[in-house]
Amino acid sequence: MAQEEAQKSADVVAVATTDKEVTVPAPVPEKEVIAPVASEEKAVPEKEEKETSEAEKSVPVKEEETVVTEKVIAPSPEELEKKALEEFKELVREALNKRQFTPPAPPVKEEKTEEKKSAEETKGEEKTEEKKEEEKPEEAVKVEEKSSDDVAPEETKPEEKSEVAAPAETKSEEKEVVPATVTTTEKASGAEEDGTKTVEAIEESIVSVTPPESSAAPVVVETETAVAPEPEPVEPEEVSIYGVPLLQDERSDTILLKFLRARDFKVKEALTMLKNTVQWRKENKIDELVEAEAGEEASEFEKMVFAHGVDKEGHVVIYSSYGEFQNKELFSDKEKLNKFLNWRIQLQEKCVRALDFSCPDAKSSFVFVSDFRNAPGLGKRALWQFIRRAVKQFEDNYPEFATRELFINVPWWYIPYYKTFGSIITSPRTRSKMVLAGPSKSADTIFKYIAPEQVPVKYGGLSNEIGGDSVTEAIVKPAAKYTIELPASEACALSWELRVLGADVTYGAQFEPTTEGSYDVIVSKNRKIGLTDEPVITGSFKVGEPGKIVITIDNQTSKKKKVLYRFKTQPRSDL
């Protein structure tokens, strides 16, 4: 025992000593090892920090450059418009390949095909019912034979087997018949005990055989209807609009852009609008209407709507006079209104086809001037409903053909009415092009967009009889005189044309020669010009020596007046 305890204590001392040896030197190498590692790790980040600092200095410069390039690369409205046009053209090309611009087939043919299918189905059902009716008597006979009490059970056994075996011979190809015969024989063996069992067995055997016959009829009908002829290859459809074939040249791009702008560059909505326009043109036979001869009423209609001159930007101007709708002879019923609408569409189509669509910079739209002088009141509902329907047709089928719409001589009640209900009647895009002016501001409004020499006399402008230089505008102050000098440096024939807006002034003209000792010549005595007088004043004088024509306008009213005039000189033919 003493020896064992001595050994144990020695072992403990050895372990303790070993533990002390291991644990004491352990922290020393850890410190020695960690020190250089830490120094190495510190040395590496210093290099990395230098590299990262240099990289960080270079990276922000690149980022700033990329930001600048992004601003420069941002697509312009022209590029977005071009992209939308290309996408629109692809959809139009796909629609032409699928012939989606043609009207769908009438629904009558579909009804006929459905009637044929229903007739075939009814025939198949009738055949199955006839077969069932043929089989029912046989079943009834079998049931009567088996249910009779006079027949001995021993004699019925062979009859049952023979009767059940008959259908097995007729349908030996079917696999379901074999188990049917087995079940009947088994139940037939128990006929002595209960006669009703034989009847049930017979019924079960017959039912198991008959379903394939009844289900065979509709299968034949389905196979017949499922067979369909292969579709023939369809050629792309050729569609023209306003006399321009779609997707043939650059003219088509100009027209497609109009539909895109009308739908705020929403490509799918623009495609729907284009399809509806093509369908409307086919239904109303617009291409044939353009070639048709004008009716007897055309001369009267031309007083209401006509094209005359261009605006300051070169757009053709179309004038409409709503006061002519008061003519009861022309607009007494719906038939005459529809005649006018057809004539108006014909005029619009002719004006559209006269435009140049080949160049994007060409003026491919109109300026519309609507005169509301003596227009019918709101009490004539039917007439205004017709006007709104006509305007809607032009907006839907001639999109973006109006660059500006001027409403002149608008009555006092219409302006507040328009401000209240204008947002309901017209679209925001159309309202942005509309300009309304009362009677006192109509001429100034027209001259803001159209030069006076391009405006008809009826609407405050000057006629084109004289021609010559452009019109000069001048203002005559209230209670003041204004003189106009037309020079003539040599013998010639001098002619002029003058108009005072608002009239109510005094007009006079005389010739004043430049040589001393010559006398002035009165060309036109001073005379009063009223509102009922001829709006345009014309004059001429044969000049025999150098001088000038002096025209005097005397305005004694409290309102300023605008004067429009122009002149030209021609060599005298009598000299």
Side-chain angles (χ1 to χ4, degrees):
M1 295 293 290
Q3 291 177 357
E4 289 177 358
E5 289 177 357
Q7 287 178 356
K8 287 180 181 180
S9 60
D11 293 335
V12 171
V13 171
V15 171
T17 55
T18 54
D19 290 339
K20 288 179 182 178
E21 289 175 358
V22 174
T23 55
V24 170
V28 175
E30 283 179 1
K31 290 180 181 179
E32 292 175 356
V33 172
I34 289 168
V37 170
S39 62
E40 288 177 1
E41 287 178 357
K42 287 180 181 178
V44 172
E46 287 177 359
K47 294 180 181 180
E48 289 180 353
E49 285 176 0
K50 291 180 181 179
E51 292 176 359
T52 53
S53 62
E54 292 177 357
E56 287 175 357
K57 289 179 181 178
S58 60
V59 168
V61 176
K62 292 182 180 179
E63 287 179 356
E64 289 178 359
E65 290 177 359
T66 54
V67 171
V68 173
T69 53
E70 284 178 359
K71 290 180 180 179
V72 174
I73 295 172
S76 62
E78 290 78 10
E79 292 176 348
L80 294 174
E81 184 177 292
K82 186 177 179 181
K83 183 179 179 181
L85 178 60
E86 292 300 325
E87 185 179 351
F88 189 29
K89 288 169 68 175
E90 288 298 324
L91 291 180
V92 173
R93 187 176 288 106
E94 183 180 353
L96 290 173
N97 293 334
K98 295 181 180 180
R99 304 184 71 85
Q100 294 179 354
F101 287 97
T102 55
V108 178
K109 294 182 180 179
E110 296 179 358
E111 292 177 358
K112 288 182 179 179
T113 54
E114 290 178 358
E115 290 176 0
K116 288 181 180 179
K117 289 181 181 180
S118 60
E120 291 177 356
E121 291 177 357
T122 51
K123 286 181 181 179
E125 291 176 357
E126 289 176 359
K127 288 181 181 179
T128 53
E129 289 177 358
E130 289 176 0
K131 289 182 180 180
K132 287 181 180 179
E133 288 176 0
E134 289 177 358
E135 292 172 357
K136 283 180 181 179
E138 294 178 359
E139 293 177 3
V141 171
K142 292 175 183 178
V143 171
E144 288 178 357
E145 289 177 356
K146 298 302 177 182
S147 60
S148 59
D149 298 330
D150 298 335
V151 181
E154 294 179 356
E155 296 176 357
T156 58
K157 289 179 182 179
E159 289 176 2
E160 290 172 358
K161 290 180 181 179
S162 61
E163 288 173 359
V164 173
E169 292 176 359
T170 57
K171 296 186 178 181
S172 59
E173 296 179 358
E174 297 181 0
K175 294 180 181 180
E176 294 180 359
V177 176
V178 176
T181 54
V182 174
T183 54
T184 52
T185 52
E186 288 177 357
K187 291 186 178 182
S189 61
E192 294 177 357
E193 297 176 358
D194 191 357
T196 59
K197 292 181 180 180
T198 57
V199 176
E200 292 174 359
I202 293 168
E203 288 177 355
E204 289 176 2
S205 63
I206 293 169
V207 171
S208 63
V209 175
T210 53
E213 294 179 358
S214 61
S215 62
V219 171
V220 175
V221 175
E222 289 179 359
T223 53
E224 289 178 357
T225 54
V227 176
E230 296 181 358
E232 297 180 357
V234 180
E235 296 182 357
E237 187 177 7
E238 295 182 0
V239 176
S240 295
I241 185 169
Y242 315 131
V244 177
L246 291 178
L247 303 182
Q248 295 295 325
D249 50 31
E250 63 275 4
R251 296 178 300 166
S252 174
D253 294 352
T254 304
I255 292 172
L256 294 179
L257 276 173
K258 291 182 178 293
F259 285 87
L260 280 173
R261 293 190 184 105
R263 291 296 176 263
D264 296 327
F265 290 93
K266 297 176 182 178
V267 180
K268 292 184 179 180
E269 293 183 10
L271 180 62
T272 303
M273 186 181 188
L274 179 62
K275 289 180 180 179
N276 294 337
T277 298
V278 173
Q279 182 64 23
W280 175 82
R281 294 176 65 84
K282 289 181 179 180
E283 292 175 356
N284 293 275
K285 300 179 180 179
I286 303 300
D287 294 333
E288 298 177 8
L289 182 63
V290 175
E291 304 297 333
E293 295 182 359
E296 298 178 356
E297 302 87 353
S299 59
E300 296 295 330
F301 292 155
E302 288 173 357
K303 296 178 182 178
M304 299 180 57
V305 184
F306 59 91
H308 184 92
V310 295
D311 72 341
K312 294 179 180 179
E313 297 178 356
H315 301 94
V316 176
V317 184
I318 298 177
Y319 295 85
S320 301
S321 177
Y322 284 85
E324 297 295 332
F325 279 104
Q326 298 281 22
N327 191 338
K328 296 181 180 179
E329 295 181 0
L330 292 177
F331 307 106
S332 58
D333 53 23
K334 290 183 179 180
E335 183 180 354
K336 293 181 179 180
L337 286 172
N338 289 329
K339 283 184 179 180
F340 168 75
L341 181 58
N342 289 334
W343 176 87
R344 180 65 184 86
I345 294 172
Q346 185 185 43
L347 175 65
Q348 180 78 5
E349 188 71 18
K350 288 181 178 179
C351 292
V352 168
R353 296 194 179 201
L355 297 174
D356 184 12
F357 296 110
S358 60
C359 180
D361 297 332
K363 307 304 178 184
S364 59
S365 55
F366 306 100
V367 172
F368 292 95
V369 179
S370 300
D371 183 11
F372 275 74
R373 187 186 298 276
N374 299 325
L378 293 177
K380 296 186 178 181
R381 280 187 168 182
L383 183 59
W384 281 108
Q385 287 176 357
F386 164 78
I387 293 172
R388 288 173 185 170
R389 181 167 61 89
V391 171
K392 185 71 166 56
Q393 283 191 5
F394 284 103
E395 286 183 355
D396 292 342
N397 301 295
Y398 295 93
E400 293 300 309
F401 277 96
T403 187
R404 188 169 287 104
E405 297 184 32
L406 307 180
F407 294 86
I408 61 173
N409 296 317
V410 176
W412 63 269
W413 53 263
Y414 186 81
I415 294 177
Y417 171 80
Y418 172 78
K419 289 180 178 178
T420 306
F421 300 102
S423 59
I424 303 173
I425 298 172
T426 58
S427 62
R429 192 174 184 85
T430 302
R431 289 199 308 275
S432 64
K433 304 175 183 179
M434 297 174 64
V435 180
L436 276 67
S440 61
K441 299 292 184 181
S442 294
D444 293 336
T445 302
I446 292 177
F447 298 148
K448 182 179 179 181
Y449 303 100
I450 308 170
E453 63 269 20
Q454 295 289 338
V455 179
V457 175
K458 179 180 180 181
Y459 296 111
L462 299 176
S463 65
N464 291 323
E465 295 176 359
I466 292 179
D469 297 335
S470 60
V471 174
T472 303
E473 300 182 21
I475 300 295
V476 183
K477 295 180 180 180
K481 290 183 180 181
Y482 185 83
T483 57
I484 301 171
E485 296 182 356
L486 310 178
S489 58
E490 58 183 1
C492 63
L494 193 149
S495 57
W496 62 91
E497 188 177 32
L498 180 143
R499 180 167 190 171
V500 180
L501 301 180
D504 199 13
V505 296
T506 302
Y507 162 82
Q510 64 181 15
F511 175 73
E512 298 178 359
T514 56
T515 58
E516 294 181 1
S518 299
Y519 296 96
D520 296 345
V521 179
I522 296 175
V523 178
S524 176
K525 293 181 180 180
N526 293 335
R527 61 188 177 93
K528 188 76 172 180
I529 300 175
L531 294 173
T532 58
D533 294 333
E534 187 68 24
V536 179
I537 302 170
T538 59
S540 62
F541 183 74
K542 292 181 179 180
V543 179
E545 58 181 327
K548 60 183 178 181
I549 295 289
V550 179
I551 299 173
T552 303
I553 305 295
D554 187 4
N555 179 20
Q556 296 301 323
T557 65
S558 59
K559 296 180 180 179
K560 63 181 181 180
K561 305 290 184 180
K562 177 177 283 189
V563 180
L564 310 174
Y565 67 93
R566 62 180 173 177
F567 70 98
K568 70 176 181 178
T569 58
Q570 293 178 335
R572 291 179 60 175
S573 59
D574 56 343
L575 295 178

